[in-house]
Amino acid sequence: GFLTLALGAGSWYLRVEIGRLEVIDRDRSKEGEEMLAQLGGSLMLKQELADARAIGKRIDDNLVVEDNLAENSGYFYKLEEQTKAHLPDFHQVSSPPSDKSPLFRRVPYCMRVTGTYEQVASFLLALETGPRLVKITTFTLARMDPAGLSIVLDLNIELLGKK
């Protein structure tokens, strides 16, 4: 009698304890899965932050300094050399005084690009896809003479510069 009662009570206690431990195990497993999801998100956020910092550094590295005329002009002359187009008229224009950006400055340029269609188009493509951030404000494209293959591209652009 007593042994049966003791074994029954022990069996009931173990069953209740196993049930309680299964609930605790499920809760801990759920918490662990949530932590893994958060860690995965955290790793992704860290990577996104690293990418954003790298992009910011790339932008900063390619900003022009308005007063550095030699380096700024050299950029355009390299494009001229690479594309075989010609820059017979090229100059930096004064920055607009109404530039309200706290971080950047617009550095305007006016230029004339001449050459064959392929040369001028290559110059324009190199300008648009190069490391400097360029905004074309106005342009005019025309033949230099009706019978010739040469064209002229008059451009007004703005480079993104350091404040």
Side-chain angles (χ1 to χ4, degrees):
F2 177 72
L3 182 59
T4 305
L5 186 61
L7 288 175
S11 174
W12 175 80
Y13 174 77
L14 288 176
R15 187 174 305 169
V16 169
E17 193 63 24
I18 288 173
R20 189 179 70 79
L21 291 173
E22 285 175 345
V23 169
I24 291 172
D25 183 51
R26 273 195 306 269
D27 290 347
R28 296 299 176 261
S29 294
K30 186 177 178 184
E31 288 175 11
E33 289 171 8
E34 289 172 358
M35 285 179 117
L36 281 175
Q38 288 177 353
L39 285 175
S42 174
L43 292 175
M44 189 168 60
L45 287 175
K46 286 180 182 178
Q47 182 59 47
E48 288 176 358
L49 180 60
D51 292 345
R53 285 182 175 150
I55 290 168
K57 182 177 179 347
R58 185 172 167 212
I59 289 171
D60 285 344
D61 291 347
N62 287 299
L63 293 175
V64 297
V65 176
E66 184 174 22
D67 295 337
N68 195 345
L69 296 176
E71 184 178 325
N72 297 345
S73 298
Y75 176 72
F76 294 104
Y77 293 132
K78 283 180 189 173
L79 295 180
E80 178 186 39
E81 183 181 318
Q82 291 169 1
T83 62
K84 307 298 184 222
H86 304 285
L87 287 173
D89 185 19
F90 166 78
H91 57 278
Q92 184 172 327
V93 183
S94 297
S95 287
S98 64
D99 207 351
K100 295 178 181 154
S101 171
L103 301 174
F104 305 108
R105 157 177 252 118
R106 295 179 292 160
V107 182
Y109 287 87
C110 179
M111 67 185 73
R112 174 167 281 190
V113 184
T114 62
T116 65
Y117 177 81
E118 290 78 15
Q119 291 168 335
V120 172
S122 292
F123 183 90
L124 188 58
L125 180 64
L127 189 63
E128 290 180 326
T129 60
R132 301 283 192 239
L133 298 171
V134 178
K135 175 183 176 185
I136 298 174
T137 54
T138 63
F139 71 94
T140 305
L141 181 67
R143 285 183 183 257
M144 285 181 74
D145 62 78
L149 296 176
S150 295
I151 61 172
V152 60
L153 173 66
D154 291 317
L155 277 175
N156 288 311
I157 64 169
E158 294 174 342
L159 295 180
L160 192 61
K162 294 180 182 180
K163 205 49 154 165

